[in-house]
Each structure stands twice: as C-alpha cells, then as structure tokens.
Amino acid sequence: MRLVARAVLPVVVGLFVAFIVAGTSVHGPLLTVVGVVVALAHGAALWWRRTHPVLVMGVALVGGLVVQLVAPSAVFPYAGLVAVWALAAARPPWISLPGLGLLLGLGSVNFLTTSVDDTMFVMAVSILPWALGEVVRNRRVAVEQGARRAVSEEQARIARELHDVIAHSLTVMVVQAAAADDVFDLRPDRAREALRSIDATGRATLDELRRLLAEVRPDVHGLGRLDELVAPLRAAGLRVEVRRDGDLRVPAGVDLSAYRIVQEALTNTLRHARASWAEVVVRNDSGVLEVDVRDDGRGGVGGVGRGIAGMRERAAVLGGTVDAGPLPGGGFRVHARLPLAVAS
C-alpha cells in the first residue's frame, strides 16, 4: 500500500503532462511522440524525488523544457513543482534555491508563448512548493535539535543528581574508613563504630541511587511512551507506524534499552536517511523482545557513526544483538533481539 501511494504522484503527473503534449503539440507527429515520451519519463523520475532530489530536479527541469518547446500551452512545469518541493524538503537553501531559480527560468519561457500576466502567475506559483518544502525541512531540523537538547539536558540532570547523591556519601565513607584503620588495633570499639557508619552511609546511598534510577527508567522512558516518542517526528512530516505484539511488560533494563534503540534508529532515519515513512514493530517472541525499525530512506546512511555502535552496546549488556543494514528493495532496517530471561 505504501509503494502504491508513493507511485501515484509520478504516474498522475507523467500521464497528465503526456496528455497535454499529445493534445496541444504544435509540431509534427515525430516531435509530439518525443514530447510524450519525455513527459512520461520526467514524471516517472519523481519516484526517486525523496532519495535523489537533486538528480530528479535536474531531470524535471530538462523534461519540462522539452515539454514547453513541443507544447507551449502546457504553461505549468508540473513535474518541476513537485521536484522543487522535494528538493527544499531534503536539502538546505543553498542547494534548493538554485533549483528554484532554474525552475523560475523555465517558467519564464512562457513569456515567448503566452501573456505576461499568465507567465508571472506561473512563476509566482513556482515559489509556493519551494516554501512548503522549506517549512517541512525546518520542522525536521527543529525536531532534531530539540531531541539533542533533551538528551543534553537529561545528561546534565543525571550528572547533577549523581554528584549530589554520591559525592558527599563517598567522602564520608572514605574518611570513616581511614579513621577505622587508624584506631583498629588500639580502639576496636571506635573502629566498629566507624564501620557501622560506613554501612549506614552505604545503604542510604544505595537507596538514593535506586530512587534516581527509578526516575530515568521506565516511568519516564519505556515502550509505553513510544507514541509520545514518535509524535514530534510525525509533526515533522515523517509517517511513523507503531505496532505492538505480545506481552510487553518486560524487565526495566530491557524496557529502557528497547526504547533507546527505537529512539536512536528513528533519529538516524530523520537525520540521515531522508525517509518519508518508518515502521516500528515491538514483539515478545517466546521470551525474547524483538525490536524492528524500518524506513524507506537511503539505505546504508543510517548505520554510519556512533548510533549503531551504541545500540549494539546496549543490547550486548543484556546478552542481546542488534543487526543493522540496508534493505534489498531500498531503505534501512535496525533489528534488535533482547533476551528477557537474562535481564530478569
């Protein structure tokens, strides 16, 4: 269904422009056939608009120019409008603006065949898809920056908590241990008192650490919060589907690690893959929690860097594994298997 939806726009644009060329060509049959073939070809090129936006923009511009020369009444560069949207959504302005400039130049060809008002209208309309694509790109960048800020703030908060919980307690324990060592032979009663103080301080510290870990474990981040995790990605234009299968009441360590693996995989999808769709599947398969994250982006890019290594380290701590790599039909997949028995 997803592939069908992705193919609708190229088919519609290609057939529509080909119909215009066949019905309005001012040249002979041979050039009309050439125009129809080019119309179908530059429409079909829109299939790769998300994965190769720069190349598709070039094909749309060349094809649009041929169409304009064969059938001047076509007026609108339909494929170019779609291509400039995809280009602006995937690339920064210093790349997309030249594409917009060339599209405006293509629209200016209408000055030779139609009225000035119509030509100016076509050129003005050409700016709209670029602006919409730029809005989508900015939203994605904002989500990525927000995620980075959230991670940094969480790390800073945990660091402060750890300092407050541990630093004072360890200092007291070290001092008490040194005191016990000094009086161990001469005043064993004082040594025992110091050891009891160390024991009490250690237990209190463990209680504080348990409280801290409870704050950063499943109550805040866990599989139960996946919908909240994907909400800002959906707002940024990435279609994310989440499916759950089986009993997902899993040990805390597995719950948190699975959440982090999904988070990192989707972050890579948003940041690197230039995907339009992603799917997250989490299932309990006979005592093994499986996490499967797929997207339709540029296969291979998501696995570069420290993200995949970090996921593998998380899984290895639990005795699990993470496999990541491009899919045969395009896109990227992260698949994790986390045993529940070892974690328990």
Side-chain angles (χ1 to χ4, degrees):
M1 188 64 182
R2 174 173 58 88
L3 294 179
V4 172
R6 181 180 174 186
V8 167
L9 187 59
V11 171
V12 169
V13 171
L15 291 177
F16 180 68
V17 177
F19 176 78
I20 293 176
V21 172
T24 63
S25 174
V26 296
H27 301 283
L30 179 59
L31 287 180
T32 300
V33 170
V34 171
V36 169
V37 171
V38 170
L40 293 172
H42 87 320
L46 296 176
W47 169 267
W48 294 278
R49 62 190 182 276
R50 298 184 184 277
T51 55
H52 299 84
V54 176
L55 179 60
V56 170
M57 188 74 224
V59 172
L61 289 170
V62 174
L65 179 60
V66 173
V67 168
Q68 287 285 73
L69 295 176
V70 174
S73 60
V75 183
F76 279 98
Y78 296 98
L81 297 178
V82 177
V84 78
W85 173 85
L87 181 63
R91 296 290 191 273
W94 66 272
I95 294 179
S96 64
L97 279 175
L100 174 61
L102 292 173
L103 182 62
L104 293 175
L106 176 60
S108 68
V109 174
N110 286 304
F111 280 122
L112 304 176
T113 58
T114 187
S115 67
V116 172
D117 289 342
D118 287 345
T119 302
M120 295 302 294
F121 177 73
V122 170
M123 296 176 69
V125 168
S126 299
I127 299 175
L128 181 60
W130 175 87
L132 293 175
E134 181 66 11
V135 168
V136 171
R137 189 190 67 83
N138 285 332
R139 292 181 69 180
R140 290 187 177 183
V141 171
V143 169
E144 178 184 336
Q145 292 175 344
R148 289 178 178 174
R149 284 196 301 270
V151 170
S152 298
E153 290 171 1
E154 182 184 14
Q155 290 174 341
R157 184 183 67 83
I158 292 174
R160 290 193 300 269
E161 289 280 351
L162 288 174
H163 179 272
D164 293 341
V165 170
I166 296 176
H168 176 71
S169 298
L170 285 182
T171 300
V172 171
M173 293 170 70
V174 169
V175 170
Q176 294 289 350
D181 182 65
D182 290 340
V183 300
F184 189 82
D185 293 324
L186 299 177
R187 295 290 303 276
D189 57 324
R190 296 288 298 277
R192 282 193 294 270
E193 182 179 343
L195 292 175
R196 285 193 293 268
S197 177
I198 292 173
D199 176 71
T201 303
R203 292 178 185 275
T205 303
L206 286 175
D207 289 340
E208 287 296 310
L209 287 175
R210 290 191 187 99
R211 178 191 61 79
L212 174 60
L213 292 176
E215 291 182 3
V216 299
R217 282 162 89 173
D219 291 341
V220 176
H221 299 116
L223 296 176
R225 308 293 293 273
L226 285 182
D227 291 331
E228 295 179 27
L229 173 65
V230 304
L233 279 72
R234 288 169 175 161
L238 182 67
R239 301 195 310 275
V240 186
E241 300 176 13
V242 178
R243 295 197 291 114
R244 301 172 175 87
D245 186 14
D247 185 3
L248 299 183
R249 293 173 296 179
V250 298
V254 176
D255 197 27
L256 176 60
S257 293
Y259 176 92
R260 291 303 189 193
I261 288 171
V262 173
Q263 183 182 44
E264 182 63 35
L266 291 177
T267 298
N268 283 343
T269 295
L270 188 66
R271 184 183 306 165
H272 302 297
R274 293 191 292 277
S276 62
W277 170 89
E279 180 186 50
V280 178
V281 179
V282 183
R283 68 170 63 90
N284 188 338
D285 184 14
S286 301
V288 175
L289 185 70
E290 291 197 30
V291 178
D292 195 80
V293 183
R294 302 175 183 230
D295 64 55
D296 64 347
R298 189 173 66 186
V301 179
V304 177
R306 296 179 297 175
I308 297 298
M311 286 187 263
R312 287 179 173 144
E313 290 172 1
R314 283 188 177 275
V317 170
L318 301 171
T321 59
V322 170
D323 295 317
L327 294 168
F332 199 80
R333 181 194 188 198
V334 174
H335 181 237
R337 289 176 55 87
L338 308 176
L340 304 180
V342 175
S344 299

